[in-house]
Short mmCIF file of all heavy atoms in Angstrom, two decimals:
data_model
loop_
_atom_site.label_atom_id
_atom_site.label_comp_id
_atom_site.label_asym_id
_atom_site.label_seq_id
_atom_site.Cartn_x
_atom_site.Cartn_y
_atom_site.Cartn_z
N ILE A 21 54.84 35.69 -7.71
CA ILE A 21 56.01 35.63 -8.63
C ILE A 21 57.23 35.10 -7.91
O ILE A 21 57.45 35.53 -6.72
CB ILE A 21 56.24 37.03 -9.26
CG1 ILE A 21 57.44 36.98 -10.18
CG2 ILE A 21 56.38 38.09 -8.20
CD1 ILE A 21 57.60 38.24 -11.04
N TYR A 22 57.95 34.18 -8.51
CA TYR A 22 59.12 33.56 -7.90
C TYR A 22 60.23 33.51 -8.92
O TYR A 22 59.99 33.33 -10.13
CB TYR A 22 58.83 32.14 -7.48
CG TYR A 22 57.57 31.98 -6.68
CD1 TYR A 22 56.35 31.55 -7.25
CD2 TYR A 22 57.58 32.26 -5.30
CE1 TYR A 22 55.21 31.43 -6.53
CE2 TYR A 22 56.41 32.13 -4.51
CZ TYR A 22 55.22 31.74 -5.13
OH TYR A 22 54.09 31.61 -4.42
N GLU A 23 61.50 33.69 -8.45
CA GLU A 23 62.60 33.37 -9.35
C GLU A 23 62.98 31.89 -9.17
O GLU A 23 63.15 31.47 -8.00
CB GLU A 23 63.76 34.30 -9.04
CG GLU A 23 64.95 34.09 -10.03
CD GLU A 23 66.12 34.92 -9.73
OE1 GLU A 23 66.89 34.60 -8.76
OE2 GLU A 23 66.33 35.95 -10.39
N LYS A 24 63.19 31.23 -10.27
CA LYS A 24 63.55 29.79 -10.19
C LYS A 24 64.63 29.49 -11.16
O LYS A 24 64.64 29.97 -12.26
CB LYS A 24 62.34 28.92 -10.55
CG LYS A 24 61.09 29.05 -9.64
CD LYS A 24 61.28 28.23 -8.40
CE LYS A 24 60.01 28.29 -7.53
NZ LYS A 24 60.14 27.43 -6.35
N ARG A 25 65.57 28.66 -10.71
CA ARG A 25 66.71 28.19 -11.56
C ARG A 25 66.41 26.78 -12.07
O ARG A 25 65.92 25.97 -11.25
CB ARG A 25 68.00 28.20 -10.75
CG ARG A 25 68.74 29.51 -10.70
CD ARG A 25 70.12 29.25 -10.09
NE ARG A 25 70.03 28.71 -8.75
CZ ARG A 25 69.91 29.42 -7.61
NH1 ARG A 25 69.87 30.74 -7.70
NH2 ARG A 25 69.85 28.84 -6.49
N ILE A 26 66.73 26.52 -13.28
CA ILE A 26 66.60 25.15 -13.81
C ILE A 26 68.00 24.49 -13.62
O ILE A 26 69.01 24.98 -14.13
CB ILE A 26 66.26 25.13 -15.30
CG1 ILE A 26 64.92 25.90 -15.48
CG2 ILE A 26 66.19 23.73 -15.82
CD1 ILE A 26 64.53 26.12 -16.97
N VAL A 27 68.01 23.36 -12.89
CA VAL A 27 69.25 22.67 -12.64
C VAL A 27 69.08 21.19 -12.91
O VAL A 27 67.93 20.67 -12.87
CB VAL A 27 69.76 22.90 -11.16
CG1 VAL A 27 70.19 24.34 -10.94
CG2 VAL A 27 68.69 22.45 -10.19
N LYS A 28 70.12 20.52 -13.29
CA LYS A 28 70.05 19.07 -13.49
C LYS A 28 70.45 18.30 -12.24
O LYS A 28 71.53 18.58 -11.69
CB LYS A 28 70.98 18.69 -14.62
CG LYS A 28 70.73 17.35 -15.22
CD LYS A 28 71.56 17.12 -16.45
CE LYS A 28 71.22 15.82 -17.14
NZ LYS A 28 72.11 15.56 -18.27
N ARG A 29 69.56 17.41 -11.81
CA ARG A 29 69.82 16.60 -10.61
C ARG A 29 69.48 15.18 -10.90
O ARG A 29 68.35 14.87 -11.31
CB ARG A 29 68.88 17.04 -9.44
CG ARG A 29 69.16 18.33 -8.85
CD ARG A 29 70.06 18.18 -7.58
NE ARG A 29 70.88 19.36 -7.45
CZ ARG A 29 70.39 20.53 -7.08
NH1 ARG A 29 69.13 20.67 -6.77
NH2 ARG A 29 71.18 21.62 -7.01
N ASP A 30 70.44 14.24 -10.72
CA ASP A 30 70.18 12.82 -10.89
C ASP A 30 69.51 12.53 -12.24
O ASP A 30 68.55 11.75 -12.35
CB ASP A 30 69.27 12.30 -9.79
CG ASP A 30 69.91 12.48 -8.40
OD1 ASP A 30 71.16 12.39 -8.31
OD2 ASP A 30 69.16 12.73 -7.43
N GLY A 31 70.01 13.17 -13.31
CA GLY A 31 69.58 12.88 -14.68
C GLY A 31 68.32 13.56 -15.12
O GLY A 31 67.84 13.32 -16.24
N VAL A 32 67.66 14.40 -14.22
CA VAL A 32 66.49 15.12 -14.65
C VAL A 32 66.65 16.57 -14.32
O VAL A 32 67.41 16.94 -13.39
CB VAL A 32 65.17 14.55 -14.05
CG1 VAL A 32 64.94 13.14 -14.48
CG2 VAL A 32 65.23 14.65 -12.52
N TYR A 33 65.97 17.41 -15.01
CA TYR A 33 65.94 18.89 -14.80
C TYR A 33 64.83 19.24 -13.75
O TYR A 33 63.71 18.67 -13.93
CB TYR A 33 65.81 19.66 -16.11
CG TYR A 33 67.03 19.54 -16.95
CD1 TYR A 33 67.12 18.46 -17.83
CD2 TYR A 33 68.00 20.47 -16.89
CE1 TYR A 33 68.31 18.33 -18.61
CE2 TYR A 33 69.16 20.37 -17.65
CZ TYR A 33 69.27 19.30 -18.55
OH TYR A 33 70.44 19.19 -19.32
#
Side-chain angles (χ1 to χ4, degrees):
I21 180 168
Y22 310 98
E23 184 181 78
K24 297 278 184 178
R25 275 189 302 273
I26 301 170
V27 293
K28 196 173 185 183
R29 289 265 150 72
D30 301 324
V32 296
Y33 289 85

